[in-house]
Amino acid sequence: MTREQFRPDDHPNEQFILSTVVGSYPKPKWLDRVRERYEESDDFDDANWAEATDDASRLITHEHERAGLDAVVDGEMRRNEMVEYFAERIEGYEFNGPVKVWGHNYFDKPSVVEEVEYDDSWLVDEFAFTDDVATKPVKVPITGPYTLASWCFNESYDDDRALALDLADLVNEEIGKLVEAGARYIQIDEPALATTPDDHAIVGDCLDRIVAGLPDDVRIGLHVCYGDYSRIYPEILEFPIDEFDVELANGDYEQLDVFKEPEFDLDLALGVTDVHVAEVESVEAIEANIEKGLEIVPPERLTVSPDCGVKLLPREVAYGKMANMVEATRNVERKLDDGEIDARALREGATASADD
């Protein structure tokens, strides 16, 4: 079972609900100032920038561990944006300036001007560094090929499907190198699927290419957020993934029933804290959210995390959400052990409710 390998040796409870984060985390304020100097000053070179990002990565990885997470990331300290970062490293993309996406927010939307090709590794150095400083297993988030295709100007391929499939081959190559470096937990981020859910078949075809040739002990998660999940369920059950990571806390779990019929047979990674609220939820409130997940899957198939990346939150709020989430998770595990929570009854009750 790919999930059990992440159980800590000193885990305090018989039950184990895996706790992690989706990926991004607030950058230390000093790192933003350093980035400005790196981009604007000739006397701040690549070596200085590498040292700064190493320090930030080390700091946030340890912050995740201090919160008690079972699987950590470095908060994506080296990444600027989830599409830009990868497009800068893939042959065939070019940049022509930012476009306005909403409000006063701009995105440096790239163009694909020729066939995409794999040049050099995107994330292996990042993973190797984080894995070296971490005492917990490290998860690697990577933007998926469908989003990399959808959130760019396609000026070369006949359609986005053809582009996405070529990108999927590149993602497979990168994941192969990550696995060689020791990575065993890979999360594919496909937020574009929620905005254009009729293309779930394209995502499925991309995932078939992404997982080709990977060892059985590599855990593949798929993160999708902020959309109408009824438009991709139950089709996602056919995807070659171990875990489906879904945002539901922000919508007060109104879409939870979507996953009750037909039976959800993947592992569920459930958002149990709302990343759009700059307040730390109480441990008791998060426990109640975790129990929502037990309506869908048994504890041994449940992962908990924030709804999405937390990079836009104040750092102390992001940390508080994680720490309370871990405490709530351990409390729910203990209650399961003691019989205070009957997970089977929760699922059976949820199924009966869905059938009514």
Side-chain angles (χ1 to χ4, degrees):
M1 184 177 182
T2 63
R3 181 179 173 280
E4 192 65 17
Q5 64 186 302
F6 305 109
R7 178 197 286 262
D9 293 337
D10 59 350
H11 192 68
N13 301 306
E14 180 181 348
Q15 300 287 342
F16 176 53
I17 298 172
L18 177 63
S19 64
T20 187
V21 286
V22 171
S24 70
Y25 193 78
K27 290 180 172 63
K29 291 183 175 62
W30 56 260
L31 186 62
D32 291 330
R33 293 195 294 270
V34 168
R35 178 187 290 276
E36 290 177 5
R37 183 174 176 188
Y38 174 59
E39 293 175 346
E40 299 173 4
S41 174
D42 293 335
D43 66 352
F44 199 89
D45 60 16
D46 290 347
N48 293 132
W49 175 242
E51 181 179 354
T53 52
D54 281 353
D55 287 346
S57 176
R58 184 183 296 108
L59 176 70
I60 300 306
T61 300
H62 289 162
E63 194 158 306
H64 284 179
E65 294 190 326
R66 188 167 70 252
L69 294 171
D70 299 310
V72 303
V73 301
D74 78 341
E76 301 180 358
M77 291 296 105
R78 305 172 199 277
R79 308 187 197 183
N80 51 351
E81 195 275 339
M82 67 181 305
V83 172
E84 288 178 39
Y85 181 85
F86 293 96
E88 289 170 350
R89 289 158 175 78
I90 297 173
E91 294 292 326
Y93 280 92
E94 70 174 27
F95 291 89
N96 297 296
V99 296
K100 190 172 184 178
V101 287
W102 74 88
H104 297 288
N105 294 283
Y106 287 81
F107 160 50
D108 201 359
K109 188 173 181 176
S111 299
V112 174
V113 296
E114 60 186 17
E115 186 172 315
V116 294
E117 295 182 7
Y118 189 91
D119 182 16
D120 197 5
S121 171
W122 314 332
L123 299 172
V124 171
D125 288 345
E126 172 189 286
F127 166 76
F129 181 88
T130 309
D131 192 50
D132 185 58
V133 302
T135 61
K136 299 286 189 72
V138 174
K139 179 169 76 170
V140 183
I142 179 170
T143 303
Y146 180 75
T147 297
L148 289 172
S150 298
W151 289 2
C152 75
F153 297 111
N154 180 3
E155 300 177 6
S156 179
Y157 285 76
D158 290 339
D159 53 43
D160 284 355
R161 182 181 187 277
L163 171 57
L165 291 174
D166 271 8
L167 287 165
D169 289 336
L170 307 191
V171 173
N172 170 263
E173 187 169 354
E174 175 67 12
I175 292 176
K177 292 185 177 181
L178 286 164
V179 169
E180 288 179 5
R184 287 299 180 271
Y185 195 173
I186 308 291
Q187 175 185 285
I188 309 299
D189 292 329
E190 289 287 15
L193 177 58
T195 59
T196 50
D198 293 335
D199 284 348
H200 53 73
I202 298 176
V203 175
D205 291 341
C206 286
L207 287 165
D208 284 336
R209 295 191 179 204
I210 286 171
V211 304
L214 296 183
D216 291 340
D217 64 343
V218 176
R219 182 172 184 79
I220 298 293
L222 175 69
H223 173 67
V224 178
C225 51
Y226 308 114
D228 181 355
Y229 302 119
S230 67
R231 296 174 67 184
I232 60 173
Y233 191 82
E235 286 80 7
I236 61 165
L237 299 179
E238 301 302 317
F239 289 174
I241 58 177
D242 300 294
E243 175 182 273
F244 184 65
D245 187 306
V246 63
E247 160 271 324
L248 286 176
N250 177 252
D252 199 25
Y253 299 94
E254 290 181 356
Q255 295 194 68
L256 188 71
D257 287 352
V258 168
F259 303 101
K260 295 178 180 177
E261 184 62 38
E263 180 181 356
F264 188 89
D265 60 7
L266 298 168
D267 287 4
L268 175 67
L270 181 70
V272 296
T273 66
D274 187 349
V275 304
H276 284 82
V277 176
E279 297 176 358
V280 178
E281 297 92 339
S282 69
V283 171
E284 293 76 17
I286 299 175
E287 287 182 31
N289 292 347
I290 294 171
E291 290 189 37
K292 296 285 189 183
L294 295 174
E295 295 180 22
I296 308 300
V297 294
E300 63 271 16
R301 286 175 35 213
L302 181 62
T303 300
V304 296
S305 68
D307 263 349
C308 201
V310 297
K311 68 179 181 180
L312 298 180
L313 291 171
R315 187 168 151 204
E316 65 274 12
V317 172
Y319 179 81
K321 284 177 181 283
M322 291 191 306
N324 280 9
M325 182 183 74
V326 171
E327 183 177 349
T329 302
R330 302 291 89 96
N331 287 347
V332 169
E333 292 172 342
R334 177 184 52 76
K335 291 177 181 179
L336 287 164
D337 288 350
D338 295 344
E340 295 178 43
I341 297 175
D342 187 336
R344 181 185 294 272
L346 285 174
R347 292 197 309 283
E348 291 176 350
T351 301
S353 175
D355 290 340
D356 289 343

